[in-house]
Amino acid sequence: MSEKGSVLVVGGGISGITTALEAAEAGRKVVLVEKEPYLGGRVARMNKYFPKLCPPTCGLEINFKRLRQNPDIKVYTLSQVENISGEKGNYKVTIKVNPRYVDDRSATTQCVEECPSEIDNELNYNMDKIKAVRLPLDMAYPMKLVADRDALEKIKDSDEYNKFASECEKKGIKINLDDVPKTIEENVGSIVWATGWQPYDATKLDNLGFGKYKDVITNVIMERLASQNGPTNGQITRPSDGKKVETVAFVQCAGSRDENYLPYCSGICCLASLKQATYIRDQYPDAKIYIFYIDLRSHGRFEEFYNRVQKDENIILIKGKIAKVTEDPQTKDLIVEGENTDTGEKVGTKVDMVVLATGIVPSTKDEPAPIDATYDEFGFMLEDPAKSGIHPAGCVKKPMDVGSSLSDATAAALKALIDTVK
């Protein structure tokens, strides 16, 4: 059980990791809780991120080293905060820690490839399969295997499974499907809520074809397609047939700034699409990219990046709202229809693939914190002076890019330090 002067950080994405490190390196004990089997959150699933356009490893690996070296940070993965009681300076927290169903003492993650069961790969938005016993991702922290109990239960009486389990045990890896969740209690003085965001559900946008046409994808799916550890090993191809893309349309504000769907602007979608356009141009020098936008927003220092992309003659920026996306029944190409608001002309562009720039929805919209907290009408958690023992950080507070999330997380750590001054 932690000390009363310690800090609870809920959410192990870039904001939560930063908060935990800053608070611990300032002298506090920290409890970091993450629901996934690994830390890193959305950043770990990206191909590249601003401002350096570097892969996730270039920032996360440094933070993971700091985590490993700091004995004042206690990390719970596959865990959820179920209850919080008390007040600022003295909170009692109940944490449910779910089992991994596999105990890996080999430190080599051996035997995964021999696993006889496969499941949909949620990391890649179910675009491919992954072994039921697996390392969650290449740069996972902690570097531990996890098993899908439901998938293995279906085959546990088979000879194939028994052979697999036996061979694993010889290598120091024991599968235990009978393991059960544990409940742990911690006492903390302050709480930082950094549970991040979810992409807006594009299936609600009937006119844009997501879920109906395989080659209509979202911006988060594009990040995985372009990633070396993604479903196509970084090769950007059409999901329907693996064809190399020659023409791609990006549809900005897909559901955003629309009172029928997501009324607000998520701020970072424009830059994300500009960045992803460069992914395609790097792989396919002759590819044509069409970006349909209401406004293109590139704040502050990112204006230079926008200007650079704008100069690419193969990236065509069209001011206009897309009305619908349909599929040519013969070629399976997609037809993007709308209006160019600068010229008043109707647009009917045929492309290989469509990328929808969906917005950011705070995790607290559907999963509020188990404590009295304040939210705006969209579900973002607010900093409420009347409830000063709990502080939002990162995209649970408002849409932010990675750099802004780091700054906000540092500020949240400072607030937590003030809460826990003895």
Side-chain angles (χ1 to χ4, degrees):
M1 186 172 287
S2 299
E3 302 171 3
K4 290 182 180 179
S6 61
V7 177
L8 170 70
V9 180
V10 185
I14 194 67
S15 297
I17 292 170
T18 301
T19 302
L21 287 168
E22 295 294 339
E25 290 172 359
R28 295 295 186 272
K29 300 286 186 182
V30 176
V31 177
L32 176 59
V33 178
E34 167 56 42
K35 70 176 182 178
E36 297 292 342
Y38 60 91
L39 301 184
R42 295 281 168 188
V43 167
R45 302 172 77 160
M46 288 183 180
N47 176 42
K48 296 178 183 178
Y49 65 95
F50 287 110
K52 296 180 181 178
L53 286 183
C54 59
T57 49
C58 79
L60 287 176
E61 65 180 356
I62 296 171
N63 285 330
F64 290 162
K65 182 178 180 180
R66 292 165 70 192
L67 284 171
R68 281 192 297 270
Q69 294 177 339
N70 197 317
D72 289 332
I73 302 175
K74 189 185 301 183
V75 177
Y76 295 111
T77 52
L78 277 175
S79 303
Q80 291 136 328
V81 174
E82 292 197 314
N83 187 61
I84 302 173
S85 60
E87 58 189 9
K88 184 179 77 169
N90 186 17
Y91 288 110
K92 182 178 179 180
V93 182
T94 303
I95 302 168
K96 178 183 177 183
V97 182
N98 295 300
R100 288 179 175 265
Y101 299 110
V102 55
D103 182 13
D104 182 8
R105 298 175 183 174
S106 68
T108 60
T109 64
Q110 297 180 73
C111 90
V112 172
E113 290 305 316
E114 289 75 34
C115 180
S117 177
E118 290 187 328
I119 58 174
D120 289 336
N121 190 352
E122 187 273 336
L123 180 75
N124 288 335
Y125 300 96
N126 301 331
M127 288 185 285
D128 61 349
K129 298 286 186 179
I130 194 170
K131 297 293 184 179
V133 178
R134 74 246 181 233
L135 190 66
L137 71 166
D138 294 345
M139 55 176 291
Y141 181 93
M143 189 67 73
K144 293 181 179 179
L145 296 176
V146 64
D148 188 291
R149 183 180 182 276
D150 292 340
L152 295 179
E153 278 283 351
K154 294 176 182 178
I155 63 168
K156 71 175 183 178
D157 295 326
S158 68
D159 292 340
E160 193 177 20
Y161 171 76
N162 289 328
K163 179 181 177 182
F164 165 70
S166 176
E167 290 298 317
C168 281
E169 194 156 358
K170 292 176 184 177
K171 298 173 183 176
I173 301 170
K174 182 176 177 58
I175 299 171
N176 183 9
L177 301 183
D178 295 324
D179 207 351
V180 295
K182 297 176 182 177
T183 298
I184 294 173
E185 289 187 348
E186 300 279 3
N187 278 102
V188 300
S190 184
I191 299 168
V192 175
W193 209 262
T195 53
W197 60 279
Q198 298 290 333
Y200 183 74
D201 183 3
T203 61
K204 295 179 180 179
L205 309 172
D206 295 337
N207 60 316
L208 298 182
F210 182 77
K212 183 177 181 182
Y213 309 124
K214 287 186 177 180
D215 297 323
V216 177
I217 65 173
T218 63
N219 43 9
V220 290
I221 291 175
M222 172 57 85
E223 287 294 321
R224 297 307 303 151
L225 280 178
S227 297
Q228 291 298 314
N229 62 352
T232 56
N233 298 316
Q235 190 69 32
I236 300 171
T237 57
R238 292 207 313 189
S240 65
D241 56 11
K243 173 188 172 183
K244 294 181 179 180
V245 293
E246 297 176 3
T247 51
V248 178
F250 286 85
V251 178
Q252 299 308 107
C253 298
S256 297
R257 303 171 69 185
D258 187 329
E259 62 182 13
N260 296 309
Y261 302 108
L262 206 62
Y264 54 87
C265 171
S266 291
I268 65 168
C269 309
C270 293
L271 277 167
S273 293
L274 292 171
K275 174 189 68 172
Q276 291 173 357
T278 67
Y279 295 170
I280 299 167
R281 295 287 291 115
D282 287 344
Q283 286 193 24
Y284 303 111
D286 297 324
K288 292 284 186 182
I289 314 295
Y290 302 91
I291 300 179
F292 297 92
Y293 67 94
I294 299 175
D295 304 294
L296 272 179
R297 299 176 175 181
S298 54
H299 305 290
R301 56 182 170 169
F302 298 127
E303 188 73 16
E304 183 276 332
F305 178 76
Y306 163 70
N307 290 333
R308 176 159 58 88
V309 174
Q310 188 183 35
K311 292 176 183 177
D312 187 330
E313 61 182 15
N314 278 19
I315 298 178
I316 300 101
L317 307 178
I318 302 171
K319 186 175 178 63
K321 185 81 171 175
I322 295 304
K324 65 179 178 179
V325 176
T326 56
E327 186 180 77
D328 185 315
Q330 269 75 45
T331 64
K332 300 300 180 181
D333 290 337
L334 298 168
I335 303 167
V336 180
E337 299 181 56
E339 181 181 4
N340 184 325
T341 55
D342 281 338
T343 64
E345 297 175 329
K346 297 294 182 183
V347 174
T349 305
K350 185 176 285 191
V351 296
D352 294 322
M353 188 165 67
V354 171
V355 184
L356 305 181
T358 54
I360 285 175
V361 179
S363 64
T364 44
K365 180 174 176 58
D366 295 323
E367 296 181 33
I371 189 174
D372 183 24
T374 304
Y375 306 90
D376 68 12
E377 66 268 38
F378 308 121
F380 290 101
M381 185 182 285
L382 302 177
E383 187 78 51
D384 188 342
K387 301 165 186 174
S388 57
I390 179 168
H391 309 283
C395 288
V396 77
K397 184 177 179 181
K398 64 179 181 179
M400 300 183 194
D401 60 23
V402 174
S404 299
S405 293
L406 295 175
S407 299
D408 194 64
T410 302
L414 178 58
K415 294 168 188 173
L417 293 174
I418 294 170
D419 286 344
T420 53
V421 172
K422 296 181 181 179

